[in-house]
């Protein structure tokens, strides 16, 4: 097979992670699928966090393992070799590869959620760490979102209601304004006139009363400092001219949306002023002229042409417009024709229709009113007219309504205000004649009505007059306000389909297209008299349709009004104390009655904040976008919608939770029941053996994965830097961590201080070192400036290849990026110092002190990196041949396993070593009998050579034989006599010491050294010591043998050995063989030099680097280079004796 | 006055405490400097004394709990070195309490900050150590005896 074998692991546990590491270790491409957002250790008295984190971090570090977090596998389709795993993603909206966990988004998030859990109130922001307060790897943040808030769904314009309210709750008025503006540039009007369908759906009503959304909307507009600021239009070349007839809210919104999409709209308005009903029919105390003009100018000022005084259909016609390249038309002429009563006396002097009444007031600023005013009608216009009249009138103002109080068409709060101002209403009265004297009106004759069962278009019952109940109301001024109708005839558009009775234009409800192609209609002329927000929504919808029409796209696709999923909340789980909605404050009654200006004064900032705080945040994250504004890694994507994906794999390993989980017994799927906890030693070999046996079965089935055809250069491969001291060029790179570090510390000063050293040839800053861009930038500068050593001051603490358990994914990524494709470590020795957590975070209250400290840290770091030698970069290739010394069960099983996989294996066995019956009878043994190379135990055996490539010299009665092997596997049960034979040189003697030391019975030695620690260090250079003796329980040896084979296999598959930096070295000239160090450590022994002079000796590639030997050395002969006394003294000096630079 | 403290820590359990503290947002004074070693057993008395020579007010040694050492070391080594260093400090008349050994479990960030703060408090306490105090008292008493005759 040309590609690597792909294995998917579905699970969460430490066992699953270890399996992943094993698989990756032998060259398999692992896809790790877990439902958790990240790995975290939850306090448990049974498990060891260090083991947990080592396992997690080693897996995360491995480039052959790719992690799929938040992913639940739904079904597994396909067959072995071609599985397709269906998955469902739990969205977190944040890319864990980019997020550095800086928590700026959380600081800036405007949504604080509070829930009741077991009676306790828990609060947290909508964006947070996956397990707040607990370390997680990856360090990413996550966002909780719950469908769409009901208020947002209810809004015809789709304004992000919950969003702007959370911003207001945090006093972010300007941001709230901008958010509203995105959907509703005429928002200032809505804050006064909207019928607030959002409030009708507000979930707060389940606790007490809905949030006063419209009032908060108004508050935003009144208080935003950015008044007048509109989102910038993109500079797109014009995609076509569109004609809009009517400059009311529908027409204006259509123009805005079309302009935003790159079209050239022109509005034709028959009146002299623009705004439609906003300018003509709505009195100033409901919408002031300033607000109206300011809001409309916001739209116009984006370059939209309005031609006033032109009546389309009379002054110009559609043919004319078509000739001038107008490619589509939007009819938004509103409903301006006043309905007539059609009763006698309607033409008397003193009888006026309400539109003329209000227009005159708006345009002239004043109007004549009689003393006994009667308004016929019960809609908003009637009430508006009444309230206008009462301000001028010294007598009475009475509204005549044909229905009952509960079924008035006018909005309740408007009626309330009218009452307060002194307007009265006569209910259930139907005018049948207007009485006059001469040609002037003197009264209205009415008839009582009763409600019928017939339901009218507006949802109320239709009243019918009752004969014989006539009565007269005195009046010297009658205003007729029984509604308006659309009048499409004025357009003179032939063939336009119009509703006969109402006069409204008929349209396709999804696209708003009329029966004439390219002609669209919306607003009151299509709906009949309606609320301003619906007209605006129509304008936006028509613009989308026109865009599709002109572009030639399908006009209905995706728009058939499938309702968004509305967020549900459990009110009992929400922690909110009952509080009634804030009351709007009004001017006092006297002032109110004498002014045409606004009667309400709006909320104070405290009231607004409190009212906004009543919002329950139904959708959790409100998409207010404050987090995006501060995330410099661009890790947040609120539009993320990838919900399901298929992951491909050749084989699958399942680690289901619980004991009796369902087995999936299809071929190629391996089930491991997770029964043992992390620290349960006994079960571990069983599970791991199971995993590994699986792996080994696979390698038999897919032998190519172990293609030994990989080129293995047995020659040394060095990447050397110059050894000449004079050519040492050191660079210092500071990571600002997207501005976080540089906000606390003075980076200018740091760079100056670092650069003031003569050996520092380069200092620079990167934004985010743990990113491809950051690493590439650093690597390029290293090359460009010919640097030989470099300090990266970021979040990583050390340059070792090891993984400490305090590490995390950002630190791992940083090193992976720098040592991966960009290979910065090929050109310079790299060292790292942590200025993020240890300086910026720990001391963020005191920037000067933090900077001071960082100066010392950088200086010490430069000293540390400068002592690195070029040999540090050497890598040693591993010879994939194993030599087994000793014939225990474990050794034999391991050897056989490797042979089956195609590796060359040597055996050296003491004579008469019995073979375990289970092994002798296995088919593998039979197959490979004869292929193994056996040698007798020699007279002496010495292990020489370099790590990973040993030459084992065997001496047989004067004859010498040399075996080359990369791994030497020793049987821990070798008798002492045999051990003596292998002790011809250091490595052999070392193995002897280790094996002897682990023998039961030598308790003093066992107390002093913990030999298992040394063993793992030896494993890394290919020396394996298998515990347990021959004759141990059958089967147990077999399990351990398989695990041993897996460890050796992993070692072979890593191809190279890189040595640790912190190893002990001996300066023989200073050593007087006092044996203090050998007492400390079994790896150290005394050897004689050429002159017979004894001194300590330790093989660097087996030293674990603990340094205990260095502490007890009286002369300093034995030392660790990067922890030497000299270096420590220099670091202490850097920290303690700084002069301010 | 911020006490200049040098913290010698091992790379494993000790370092995990410091990292856990900083990652959780815990604060400590910037006058605390941290030197990372592979293992505390590698530290000799000379390095501790060097810190004092260069002006440190205190040396805090952060190590692992018994039997937790990754290298299989025991705390015997570092305790021997601490005794050596303290003896010399005593000889010089300095307070022997200037060196503190803290053994913490891995990831105990809170423990680190608490131990550090307790150490700083000790160092900045105005009282003289008992030894010198009793010596001075003894001198006074002897003086009085002489005067009284």
């Amino acid at each position: 097979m040309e590609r690597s074998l792909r294995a998917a692991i579905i699970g969460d546990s430490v066992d699953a992670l270890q399996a992943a590491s094993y698989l990756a270790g032998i060259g398999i491409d692992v896809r790790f699928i877990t439902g958790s957002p990240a790995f975290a250790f939850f306090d448990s008295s049974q498990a060891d966090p260090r083991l947990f984190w080592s396992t997690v971090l080693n897996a995360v570090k491995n480039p052959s393992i790719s992690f799929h977090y938040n992913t639940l596998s739904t079904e597994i389709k396909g067959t072995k070799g071609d599985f397709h795993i269906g998955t469902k993603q739990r969205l977190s909206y944040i890319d864990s590869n980019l997020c550095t966990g800086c928590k700026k988004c959380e600081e800036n998030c405007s949504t604080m959620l509070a829930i009741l859990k077991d009676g306790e109130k828990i609060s947290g922001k909508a964006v947070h760490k996956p397990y707040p307060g607990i370390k997680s790897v990856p360090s990413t943040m996550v966002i909780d979102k719950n469908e769409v808030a009901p208020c947002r769904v209810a809004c015809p314009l789709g304004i992000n209601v919950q969003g702007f309210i959370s911003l207001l709750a945090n006093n972010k008025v300007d941001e709230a304004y901008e958010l509203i503006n995105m959907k509703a540039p005429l928002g200032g009007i809505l804050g006064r006139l909207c019928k607030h369908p959002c409030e009708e759906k507000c979930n707060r009503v389940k606790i007490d009363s809905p949030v006063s959304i419209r009032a908060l909307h108004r508050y935003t507009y009144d208080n935003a400092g950015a008044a007048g600021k509109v989102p910038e239009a993109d500079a797109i070349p014009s995609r076509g001219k569109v004609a809009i007839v009517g400059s009311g809210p529908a027409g204006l919104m259509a123009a805005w949306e079309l302009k935003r999409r790159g079209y050239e709209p022109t509005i034709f308005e028959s009146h002299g002023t623009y705004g439609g009903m906003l300018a003509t029919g709505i009195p100033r105390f409901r919408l002031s002229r300033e607000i109206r003009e300011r809001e409309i100018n916001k739209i116009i000022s984006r370059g939209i042409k309005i031609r006033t005084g032109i009546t389309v259909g009379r002054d110009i016609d559609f043919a004319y417009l078509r000739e001038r390249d107008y490619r589509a038309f939007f009819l938004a002429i509103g409903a301006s024709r006043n309905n007539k009563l059609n009763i006698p006396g309607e033409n008397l002097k003193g009888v006026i229709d309400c539109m003329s009444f209000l227009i005159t007031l708006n345009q002239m600023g004043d109007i004549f009113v009689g003393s006994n005013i009667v308004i016929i009608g019960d809609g908003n216009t009637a009430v508006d007219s009444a309230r206008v009249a009462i301000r001028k009138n010294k007598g009475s103002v009475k509204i005549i309504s044909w229905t009952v109080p509960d079924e008035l068409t006018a909005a309740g709060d408007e009626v309330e205000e009218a009452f307060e101002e002194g307007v009265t209403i006569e209910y259930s009265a139907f005018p049948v004649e207007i009485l006059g004297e001469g040609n002037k009106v003197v009264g209205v004759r009415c008839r009582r009505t009763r409600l019928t069962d017939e339901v009218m278009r507006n949802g109320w019952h239709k009243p019918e007059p009752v004969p014989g109940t006539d009565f007269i109301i005195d009046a010297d001024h009658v205003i007729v306000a029984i509604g308006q109708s659309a009048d499409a005839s004025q357009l003179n558009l032939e063939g336009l389909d119009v509703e006969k009775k109402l006069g409204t234009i008929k349209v396709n409800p999804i696209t708003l297209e009329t029966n004439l192609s390219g002609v669209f209609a919306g607003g009151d002329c299509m709906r009949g008299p309606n609320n301003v927000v619906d007209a605006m929504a129509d304008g936006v919808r028509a613009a989308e349709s026109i865009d599709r029409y002109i572009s030639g796209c399908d006009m209905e696709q995706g728009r058939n009004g499938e309702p968004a999923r509305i967020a549900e909340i459990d009110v009992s789980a929400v922690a909110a104390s009952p509080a009634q909605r804030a009351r709007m404050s009004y001017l006092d009654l006297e002032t109110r009655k004498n002014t045409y200006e606004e009667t309400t004064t709006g909320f104070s900032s405290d009231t607004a904040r409190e009212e906004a705080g009543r919002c329950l945040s139904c959708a959790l994250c409100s998409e207010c976008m404050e987090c995006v504004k501060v995330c410099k890694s661009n890790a947040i994507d609120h539009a993320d919608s990838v919900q399901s994906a298929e992951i491909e794999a050749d084989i699958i390993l399942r680690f289901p939770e619980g004991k009796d989980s369902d087995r999936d017994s299809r071929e190629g799927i391996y089930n491991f029941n997770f029964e043992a906890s992390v620290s349960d030693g006994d079960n571990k070999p069983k599970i791991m053996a199971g995993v590994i046996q699986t792996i080994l079965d696979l390698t038999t089935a897919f032998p190519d994965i172990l293609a030994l055809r990989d080129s293995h250069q047995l020659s040394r491969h060095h990447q050397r830097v110059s050894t000449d001291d004079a050519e040492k060029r050191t660079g210092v790179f500071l990571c600002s961590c997207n501005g976080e570090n540089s906000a606390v510390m003075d980076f200018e000063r740091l760079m100056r201080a670092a650069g003031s050293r003569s050996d520092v040839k380069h200092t620079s800053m990167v934004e985010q070192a743990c990113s491809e861009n950051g690493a590439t930038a650093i690597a390029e500068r290293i090359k460009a400036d010919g640097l030989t050593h470099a300090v990266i001051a970021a979040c990583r603490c050390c340059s070792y290849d090891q993984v400490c358990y305090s590490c995390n994914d950002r630190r791992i990524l940083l090193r992976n990026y720098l040592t991966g494709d960009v290979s910065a470590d090929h050109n310079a020795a790299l060292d790292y110092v942590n200025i993020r957590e240890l300086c910026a975070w720990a001391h963020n209250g005191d920037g000067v002190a933090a900077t001071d400290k960082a100066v010392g840290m950088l200086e010490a770091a430069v000293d540390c990196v400068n002592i690195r030698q070029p040999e540090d970069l050497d890598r040693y290739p591993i010879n994939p041949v194993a030599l087994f010394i000793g014939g225990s069960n474990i050794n034999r099983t391991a050897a056989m396993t490797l042979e089956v996989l195609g590796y060359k294996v040597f055996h050296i066995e003491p004579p008469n070593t019995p073979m375990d019956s289970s092994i002798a009878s296995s088919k593998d043994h039979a197959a490979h009998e004869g292929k193994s190379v056996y040698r007798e135990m020699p007279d002496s055996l010495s292990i020489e050579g370099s790590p990973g490539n040993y030459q084992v010299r065997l001496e047989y009665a004067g004859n010498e034989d040399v075996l080359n092997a990369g791994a030497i596997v020793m049987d821990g049960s070798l008798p002492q006599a045999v051990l003596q034979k292998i002790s011809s040189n250091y490595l052999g003697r070392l193995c002897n010491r280790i094996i002897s030391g682990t023998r039961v019975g030598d308790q003093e030695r066992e107390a002093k050294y913990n030999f298992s620690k040394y063993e793992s260090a030896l494993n890394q250079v290919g020396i394996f010591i298998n515990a347990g003796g021959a004759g141990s329980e059958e089967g147990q040896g077999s399990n351990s043998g398989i695990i041993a084979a897996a460890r050796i296999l992993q070692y072979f598959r890593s191809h190279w050995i890189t040595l640790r930096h912190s190893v002990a070295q001996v300066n023989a000239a200073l050593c007087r063989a006092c044996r203090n160090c050998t007492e400390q450590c079994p790896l150290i022994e005394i050897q004689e030099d050429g002159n017979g002079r004894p001194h300590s000796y330790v093989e660097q590639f087996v030293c674990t680097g603990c340094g205990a030997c260095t502490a007890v050395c009286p002369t300093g002969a034995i030392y660790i280079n990067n922890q030497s006394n000299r270096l420590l003294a220099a670091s202490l000096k850097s920290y303690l004796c700084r002069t301010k630079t | 006055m911020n006490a200049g403290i040098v913290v010698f820590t091992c790379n494993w359990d000790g370092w995990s405490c410091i990292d856990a503290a900083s990652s959780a947002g815990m604060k400590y004074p910037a006058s605390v400097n941290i030197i990372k070693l592979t293992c505390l057993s590698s530290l000799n008395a000379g390095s501790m004394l060097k810190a004092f020579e260069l002006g440190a007010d205190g040396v805090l040694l952060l190590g692992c709990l018994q039997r937790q050492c990754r290298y299989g070391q025991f705390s015997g080594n570092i305790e021997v070195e601490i005794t050596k260093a303290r003896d010399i400090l005593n000889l010089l008349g300095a307070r022997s309490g200037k060196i503190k050994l803290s053994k913490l479990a891995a990831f105990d960030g809170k423990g680190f900050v608490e131990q550090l703060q307790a150490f700083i408090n000790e160092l900045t306490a105005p009282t003289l150590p008992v030894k010198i105090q009793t010596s001075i008292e003894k001198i006074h008493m002897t003086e009085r005896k002489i005067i009284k005759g």
Side-chain angles (χ1 to χ4, degrees), chain A residues 465-476:
Chain A
V466 177
T469 57
D470 289 13
F471 65 101
I472 295 177
I473 300 177
D474 291 332
D476 59 2

Side-chain angles (χ1 to χ4, degrees), chain A residues 441-456:
Chain A
V441 63
V442 294
V444 181
R445 182 153 66 87
C446 300
R447 198 165 283 174
R448 286 291 171 207
T449 63
R450 60 160 172 247
L451 295 181
T452 62
D453 290 331
E454 189 188 328
V455 175
M456 298 188 289

Side-chain angles (χ1 to χ4, degrees), chain B:
Chain B
M1 188 271 294
N2 269 327
I5 313 263
V6 175
V7 178
F8 289 100
T9 176
C10 74
N11 189 66
W12 301 94
D13 288 19
W15 186 250
S16 71
C17 293
I18 298 178
D19 190 63
S22 318
S23 298
M26 297 186 209
K27 312 273 180 263
Y28 47 92
S31 56
V32 172
N33 296 287
I34 299 171
I35 293 188
K36 183 158 66 90
L37 309 165
T38 45
C39 180
L40 270 192
S41 62
S42 70
L43 193 65
N44 57 33
S47 301
M48 299 183 223
L49 293 172
K50 190 72 181 175
F52 289 116
E53 180 198 328
L54 293 173
D57 294 303
V59 167
L60 176 66
L61 304 163
L62 192 59
C64 56
L65 296 174
Q66 206 67 284
R67 294 221 152 258
Q68 296 293 316
C69 180
R70 181 194 173 79
Y71 301 102
Q73 296 295 330
F74 302 97
S75 58
N77 283 356
I78 188 65
E79 281 166 2
V80 164
E81 296 301 312
I82 291 175
T83 310
K84 280 191 212 166
R86 278 188 182 148
D87 285 344
I88 294 178
L89 287 176
N90 272 339
L91 211 57
L92 298 171
R95 296 197 298 199
S96 59
K98 284 182 152 204
I99 302 178
K100 180 180 168 98
L101 172 63
S102 286
K103 294 188 192 177
L104 293 173
F107 300 108
D108 189 0
K110 191 147 164 272
F112 165 65
V113 174
E114 282 171 1
Q115 297 261 309
L116 182 63
Q117 196 53 55
F119 188 42
I120 293 175
N121 293 342
E122 272 172 47
L123 291 175
T124 50
T127 55
L128 290 169
V130 175
K131 275 195 181 149
I132 300 183
Q133 207 163 31
T134 19
S135 315
I136 292 175
E137 270 183 24
K138 278 194 182 150
I139 293 171
H140 283 167
M141 278 170 61
T142 319
E143 276 181 12
R144 274 188 230 116
K145 273 192 191 155
I146 294 172
I147 289 167
K148 275 193 180 163

